[in-house]
Amino acid sequence: MRYLVILSLLLLQSIWAKPLRFAPLPMFKSELIMEEYRGILEHLEKELGITIETVYYSDYKTLLEAIRTSKVDIAHLGPLPYATLLKETDQVQPIVQFLNKDGQSTYTCSLFSTREKVSSIDFIATKPIALTQPLSTCGYLSAAYLYNGANLELKEDNYYYANTHSNVILEVLLGQAQSGIAKTSEFLSYSHLGIYELARTPKWPGFLWVGSPTLSPTLISQIQNTLTPLYYDDPLHRELMSSWGDGVKYGAVYTNAQAYKPITQLLEKFQINELP
């Protein structure tokens, strides 16, 4: 019996010692991951006494499969990938939603072109539009929403995927596509190069960390209690958070599945053929 107790304790110790597997956003190139996430992950390791291992997936399709099959414990997701998971399982847990530099938990997507004087999207709708990824919220879903608002339809032969927001912008700047859609903040950072906004989506719920079924409620609560009290406007907190990546350094708030209902409703309305 004594040996069984010792064996059980050793087994539990080995489980606790396993690194927490964190998957960042697929939109980041792998060499930029540590720069973006190093600070916040090191803070969690220090505060919670855990080890975190970063695992990278180059696209949302493989990342979502990794969550479903418990190959990762925490993933940084956009609202559409999270809504896609919600359609399949209720076993994923939203941990925190991240704020942007304006202190907002929402963001928008912009449809743009190099044609400054186009007053409606009717003209560009006849030409192929550059999109990010099927599972990017600022991709097919937002484009279909904006086209629908103009009584237009985003047809299957009228778009293609360029993978990242910056690639979409580059496609338009180089004349490979007449229009594109990207996160508004990303569009604005390149707007001085001669691209012009034609339409903008409503505010979508922001990016978040999602826990897979492998993550215990206790650890989820510990992560929430470690991150949500931090405010970037607080000088002491800013000193800690200033080296964190832009996607995570402005603070985080509690969230729930209900906050993402606008995206799940759009997902029911617009069929994205390329979704896994």
Side-chain angles (χ1 to χ4, degrees):
M1 178 63 69
R2 177 184 176 187
Y3 293 109
L4 287 175
V5 171
I6 294 174
L7 183 61
S8 297
L9 290 173
L10 289 174
L11 180 60
L12 287 173
Q13 186 177 22
S14 68
I15 293 173
W16 291 333
K18 288 178 63 176
L20 196 68
R21 298 160 298 179
F22 170 77
L25 281 171
M27 68 175 62
F28 288 104
K29 294 181 180 179
S30 56
E31 62 266 23
L32 299 178
I33 287 176
M34 292 313 298
E35 180 182 346
E36 175 74 13
Y37 294 100
R38 179 186 288 111
I40 190 171
L41 296 182
E42 288 180 349
H43 178 68
L44 287 173
E45 287 181 325
K46 178 182 177 182
E47 293 296 312
L48 302 182
I50 58 177
T51 300
I52 302 176
E53 172 186 84
T54 301
V55 288
Y56 180 72
Y57 296 90
S58 60
D59 59 74
Y60 272 125
K61 181 178 180 180
T62 54
L63 173 54
L64 294 188
E65 180 62 22
I67 298 172
R68 294 187 194 99
T69 56
S70 299
K71 292 180 180 178
V72 298
D73 303 299
I74 298 176
H76 194 157
L77 296 179
L80 176 56
Y82 174 54
T84 303
L85 281 175
L86 288 179
K87 287 183 62 178
E88 302 175 5
T89 177
D90 59 358
Q91 297 302 304
V92 291
Q93 173 74 31
I95 303 173
V96 291
Q97 185 180 58
F98 289 97
L99 306 177
N100 59 31
K101 64 180 179 180
D102 298 319
Q104 302 297 312
S105 61
T106 58
Y107 71 101
T108 58
C109 308
S110 294
L111 176 66
F112 60 92
S113 174
T114 54
R115 293 178 172 266
E116 181 179 7
K117 296 183 179 180
V118 174
S119 58
S120 73
I121 68 173
D122 297 62
F123 178 78
I124 58 96
T126 62
K127 308 290 183 179
I129 179 175
L131 307 177
T132 48
Q133 299 183 30
L135 276 164
S136 171
T137 311
C138 286
Y140 185 95
L141 191 71
S142 288
Y145 171 86
L146 292 175
Y147 273 49
N148 184 72
N151 295 315
L152 299 168
E153 182 182 354
L154 184 57
K155 298 180 180 179
E156 190 171 347
D157 60 350
N158 210 25
Y159 65 88
Y160 68 96
Y161 293 106
N163 193 41
T164 66
H165 295 260
S166 56
N167 282 354
V168 167
I169 292 169
L170 187 61
E171 289 286 294
V172 176
L173 286 171
L174 293 177
Q176 302 300 320
Q178 190 162 283
S179 64
I181 188 166
K183 202 172 180 180
T184 299
S185 58
E186 192 89 6
F187 157 76
L188 290 174
S189 67
Y190 290 94
S191 59
H192 65 284
L193 296 178
I195 50 178
Y196 305 93
E197 186 177 60
L198 305 178
R200 185 179 295 189
T201 66
K203 295 179 179 179
W204 301 139
F207 285 60
L208 73 162
W209 275 6
V210 174
S212 75
T214 58
L215 203 63
S216 71
T218 298
L219 190 50
I220 288 174
S221 179
Q222 289 175 333
I223 294 171
Q224 291 171 331
N225 294 338
T226 301
L227 295 181
T228 55
L230 299 176
Y231 293 94
Y232 191 71
D233 289 339
D234 184 305
L236 290 177
H237 295 169
R238 180 174 294 197
E239 184 177 356
L240 167 69
M241 302 161 76
S242 60
S243 64
W244 299 6
D246 286 346
V248 295
K249 78 178 183 181
Y250 297 110
V253 294
Y254 293 97
T255 191
N256 54 50
Q258 184 66 21
Y260 291 82
K261 190 174 181 179
I263 304 299
T264 58
Q265 290 174 334
L266 284 182
L267 196 54
E268 292 172 359
K269 182 174 182 178
F270 299 113
Q271 178 68 40
I272 305 175
N273 295 328
E274 297 83 2
L275 283 189

